[in-house]
Amino acid sequence: MAKAPILTPRADDFPRWYQDVLNKAELAENGPVRGTMVIRPYAYALWERMVAEVDARIKAAGADNAYFPLFIPESYLQREAEHVEGFSPELAVVTHGGGKQLEEPVVVRPTSETVIGEYMAKWVQSYRDLPLLLNQWANVVRWELRPRMFLRTSEFLWQEGHTAHVSEEDARVYAERILHDVYEDFMVNVLAIPVLTGRKIPEERFAGATNTLTCEAMMGDGKALQMGTSHELGQNFARAFDIAFSDETGERALAWTTSWGVSTRMMGGLIMAHGDDAGLVVPPRLAATQVVVLVVRDEDGTVTPAAQQMVDELAAVGVRAKLDAHTATAFGRRATNWELKGVPVRIEVGPRDLAEGRVVVVRRDVGEKVPTDLSAVVATVPGLLEDQQSALLAAATARRDSLTVECSTLDEAAEAAAHGFGQIAWDKVGADGIERLGRDAVTVRCLRTPEGGLPASDDAPGTLAIVARSY
RNA sequence: CGGGACGUGGCGCAGUCUGGCAGCGCACCGGCUUUGGGAGCCGGGGGUCGAGAGUUCAAAUCUCUCCGUCCCGACCA
């Protein structure tokens, strides 16, 4: 019997599908204040996994975690002209505290370049203090006109790295190292999302940066999502906050700084990159729960212990497994719920299976059901998880590539962006081209060399532009 | 911030045009029967109809103001 679909089909209404997934998979809901978001436990567990994986890579890149305050003196923001101009429209400003009007308003951090710059200036005296490599996990606030859960909320969680270096070259190399070794590596190998790394055009640069590098991913509707950025800040913040040091020759010099971040926006990317009409699809390496062992029914009380034993054995070989023995709820509903939540592998165990010495193993991505001998399950699951991990990346890559069109005119590029990405020679775009594409809500997502590398400048010869509609 | 749609138990909606006891499906609670893809039957509980003001004997329904949500455009991770 045909049931009404649980989720609005993606092809019918993608934004509605996204909302449905958030609700039905119990990921998040709106907070009481416009633009704020409550992250529910299942989604927060995924975020914690992202944090763990990204944090490990940041530490491997040599940065140390620290924490800087939520409140920033308004005057700090004003020290860097472009920075304050860029962020003013979206600042939350506290004017009262302790029942009195404050002498100087404090802003709730939209990002922490300014406070951290102030302290870097204190901590950096000598070239021997450099590079100074800091990171913090924090919440930030940017008042949003048009919030969308996870993608653009007024308050979001992120990681912001801030570094200071002796030379422009060192800063550039480090910003690129973060882009590739931390962000791209995490997104490709853990999130199974193929990202295009590239250089932002000046209009899309971070306020106060001299160069912004980005990871751009394609979502299920063909639109682009900026999943992470790494900025070269030149000496702009060093000058504003006097981050200066004595070099080897005793000369006083200004440091070169970088900053870089990824946020809870990645949750939105995860949902929209892999999700299907049955719900979320979580790549196994990310999944907080990789396997759910589902007791179909258990009249005589023998099935649940067998299932629990399987969970224990899976845990013993390093698989994050969970037992679902809530047999008061019908089997079909529970199966559907785990699919909504995107758990990579479901193992169904019922009395019939035990009698036959096997279980049914179901893969979330393709829905394939494989009867498997009880004795072989624990040994096959890790390989199954890895297969699914690579299948997700392969599928996402194939889809992106098939929706990426090489174009030779702006009209072709705009047409390509109606469905996916357009690739066009950057020198064919220019200011007029940006205006032309903008009429179709298409923007330049990033610039790349023909080999997929990072262009050394905004106008390097041969540079290609990736254009798309974007979130 | 402009254009459009919409706010009615937790979720999805009808009722609004034409004012007259606040309803339906799902979810929730209890009982029995069930359980291999969204269980069935019986019995329950839950809503100041987004907020405020106005018109009226009477407002979910008419008028005004405000707030919020979603979609489309200008800004962002």
Side-chain angles (χ1 to χ4, degrees), chain A residues 20 30 40 59 71 94 110 136 154 165 201 208 217 228 249 267 280 286 304 306 320 324 328 353 373 383 444 460:
Chain A
D20 286 352
N30 286 313
R40 300 186 65 175
K59 284 175 177 145
F71 294 130
V94 179
Q136 82 167 344
S154 287
H165 306 262
I201 63 174
T249 65
M267 284 292 306
L280 187 61
L286 179 73
T304 301
R320 296 186 287 275
D324 176 355
D353 297 303
D373 277 356
V444 176

Side-chain angles (χ1 to χ4, degrees), chain A residues 217-229:
Chain A
M218 185 187 286
M219 301 293 101
D221 60 353
K223 290 169 81 170
L225 181 71
Q226 178 176 308
M227 302 258 305
T229 48

Side-chain angles (χ1 to χ4, degrees), chain A residues 296-307:
Chain A
V296 177
R297 51 201 184 88
D298 189 13
E299 288 85 1
D300 63 5
T302 60
V303 182
T304 301

Side-chain angles (χ1 to χ4, degrees), chain A residues 36-255:
Chain A
T36 62
M37 171 176 61
V38 175
I39 302 175
R40 300 186 65 175
Y42 185 72
Y44 198 81
L46 292 173
W47 173 243
E48 287 181 309
R49 288 281 309 130
M50 292 185 188
V51 170
E53 294 284 346
V54 171
D55 195 60
R57 285 168 176 76
I58 288 171
K59 284 175 177 145
D64 295 316
N65 284 336
Y67 187 79
F68 293 83
L70 173 70
F71 294 130
I72 299 178
E74 197 172 41
S75 59
Y76 277 28
L77 273 289
Q78 286 158 357
R79 286 199 219 166
E80 213 289 327
E82 283 185 26
H83 193 65
V84 67
E85 190 190 335
F87 279 107
S88 296
E90 42 188 355
L91 290 182
V93 182
V94 179
T95 57
H96 289 71
K100 291 188 300 191
Q101 178 146 12
L102 300 176
E103 283 189 21
E104 180 188 348
V106 299
V107 306
V108 180
R109 62 177 165 225
T111 179
S112 304
E113 276 75 6
T114 58
V115 230
I116 294 182
E118 177 81 3
Y119 286 83
M120 279 182 162
K122 289 177 68 170
W123 299 341
V124 172
Q125 304 293 332
S126 153
Y127 71 93
R128 294 193 181 92
D129 297 325
L130 297 174
L132 178 56
L133 309 175
L134 301 174
N135 178 62
Q136 82 167 344
W137 290 93
N139 58 339
V140 286
V141 169
R142 298 178 187 179
W143 217 257
E144 287 293 346
L145 303 176
R146 192 177 156 192
R148 292 170 69 83
M149 289 224 267
F150 286 120
L151 302 174
R152 202 186 305 107
T153 47
S154 287
E155 179 191 7
F156 57 90
L157 306 182
W158 78 344
Q159 146 284 309
E160 51 177 321
H162 297 271
T163 68
H165 306 262
V166 293
S167 70
E168 179 172 27
E169 170 72 1
D170 284 3
R172 182 183 62 75
V173 167
Y174 199 77
E176 292 180 6
R177 178 176 177 187
I178 294 293
L179 184 78
H180 293 300
D181 296 358
V182 177
Y183 297 161
E184 185 178 19
D185 182 71
F186 168 71
M187 291 168 192
V188 171
N189 293 315
V190 178
L191 297 184
I193 298 175
V195 290
L196 292 176
T197 53
R199 179 185 180 104
K200 283 292 190 187
I201 63 174
E203 291 82 350
E204 302 254 338
R205 237 178 237 153
F206 176 76
T210 57
N211 183 21
T212 288
L213 305 174
T214 180
C215 293
E216 298 284 329
M218 185 187 286
M219 301 293 101
D221 60 353
K223 290 169 81 170
L225 181 71
Q226 178 176 308
M227 302 258 305
T229 48
S230 183
H231 315 287
E232 289 182 67
L233 303 175
Q235 293 180 307
N236 292 343
F237 287 88
R239 198 173 298 112
F241 290 89
D242 196 29
I243 309 171
F245 62 96
S246 301
D247 68 16
E248 298 91 323
T249 65
E251 291 281 309
R252 193 168 163 78
L254 280 180

Side-chain angles (χ1 to χ4, degrees), chain A residues 202-348:
Chain A
E203 291 82 350
E204 302 254 338
R205 237 178 237 153
F206 176 76
T210 57
N211 183 21
T212 288
L213 305 174
T214 180
C215 293
E216 298 284 329
M218 185 187 286
M219 301 293 101
D221 60 353
K223 290 169 81 170
L225 181 71
Q226 178 176 308
M227 302 258 305
T229 48
S230 183
H231 315 287
E232 289 182 67
L233 303 175
Q235 293 180 307
N236 292 343
F237 287 88
R239 198 173 298 112
F241 290 89
D242 196 29
I243 309 171
F245 62 96
S246 301
D247 68 16
E248 298 91 323
T249 65
E251 291 281 309
R252 193 168 163 78
L254 280 180
W256 298 78
T257 66
T258 77
S259 69
W260 26 278
V262 291
S263 72
T264 37
R265 171 178 277 186
M266 290 192 297
M267 284 292 306
L270 170 73
I271 296 165
M272 293 194 294
H274 294 308
D276 61 22
D277 285 349
L280 187 61
V281 176
V282 183
R285 287 188 200 154
L286 179 73
T289 301
Q290 297 173 304
V291 175
V292 62
V293 180
L294 194 158
V295 176
V296 177
R297 51 201 184 88
D298 189 13
E299 288 85 1
D300 63 5
T302 60
V303 182
T304 301
Q308 179 64 56
Q309 188 187 335
M310 203 176 306
V311 169
D312 294 342
E313 288 172 8
L314 285 167
V317 297
V319 173
R320 296 186 287 275
K322 187 184 176 93
L323 176 71
D324 176 355
H326 300 114
T327 51
T329 302
F331 163 78
R333 170 160 301 272
R334 289 180 291 142
T336 304
N337 283 342
W338 290 118
E339 279 168 4
L340 276 167
K341 292 195 151 131
V343 171
V345 170
R346 185 173 70 243
I347 299 177
E348 303 174 355

Side-chain angles (χ1 to χ4, degrees), chain A residues 413-454:
Chain A
E415 169 58 23
H419 312 286
F421 291 178
Q423 192 177 76
I424 184 170
W426 174 224
D427 60 20
K428 289 207 170 107
V429 183
D432 291 346
I434 290 172
E435 154 69 23
R436 157 71 189 87
L437 294 169
R439 286 202 297 275
D440 287 337
V442 174
T443 52
V444 176
R445 302 320 303 155
C446 66
L447 305 179
R448 294 160 59 81
T449 68
E451 298 75 33
L454 300 171

